[in-house]
Structures are given as C-alpha cells and as structure tokens.
Amino acid sequence: LPIGIDFIKEYITSSNWTLDTIYPVLDLLSYIRTEKLVLHTCTKARNELLILCGYIGALLAIRRQYQSIVPALYEYTS
C-alpha cells in the first residue's frame, strides 16, 4: 500500500502524468483486503488512498462525462 501510494503521489507531481498511467496502479490498490485497511497501522495510508480514489475518480467521471457525480467526488476529496 505505501509503495503504490508513494508511486502515485510522486507521479502526479510531474507535469506529464496521465490517468491511463495512474488508474491501473490505483485499481491494484483497491484489491487490498478491507480488514487490512481498517488496522490502526494503516490509518494514514487508508486516508491517502481514499483521497486519491476520490480525485482520480472525479477525473475519470469528467472524462466519461458523468458530470453529476464530479462535485460530490471533489467535495469528498477536499
């Protein structure tokens, strides 16, 4: 989890990142078992994962023209 999150955070700080590069990594992180994510030791990583999912999800919604959900995703992310 920390490796995947660090990769995504580092990658989106560059000027040439794309959703097509970030989304597969984020998708892989979504396979982490829930009982592992709720552990006290994963609190920070879990919160970062939720923020990244909300942000990337909003960008994907824009791309797929699901504008009605975008404000809620950005609000959740902020």
Side-chain angles (χ1 to χ4, degrees):
L1 181 60
I3 293 169
I5 289 173
D6 288 343
F7 170 81
I8 292 172
K9 287 180 2 184
E10 183 177 325
Y11 203 82
I12 63 175
T13 59
S14 71
S15 61
N16 60 348
W17 70 276
T18 64
L19 285 174
D20 296 329
T21 304
I22 298 298
Y23 181 71
V25 178
L26 200 56
D27 187 46
L28 285 174
L29 293 177
S30 72
Y31 288 101
I32 296 172
R33 298 179 69 89
T34 303
E35 61 263 13
K36 299 294 183 188
L37 290 174
V38 297
L39 294 174
H40 177 68
T41 56
C42 291
T43 301
K44 182 177 184 258
R46 179 183 63 240
N47 290 340
E48 288 180 337
L49 179 60
L50 289 170
I51 290 167
L52 288 169
C53 285
Y55 179 67
I56 299 301
L59 294 175
L60 283 170
I62 291 169
R63 176 192 275 182
R64 296 175 182 167
Q65 299 180 351
Y66 297 135
Q67 280 80 4
S68 62
I69 195 168
V70 173
L73 286 169
Y74 274 125
E75 184 177 331
Y76 175 77
T77 301
S78 63

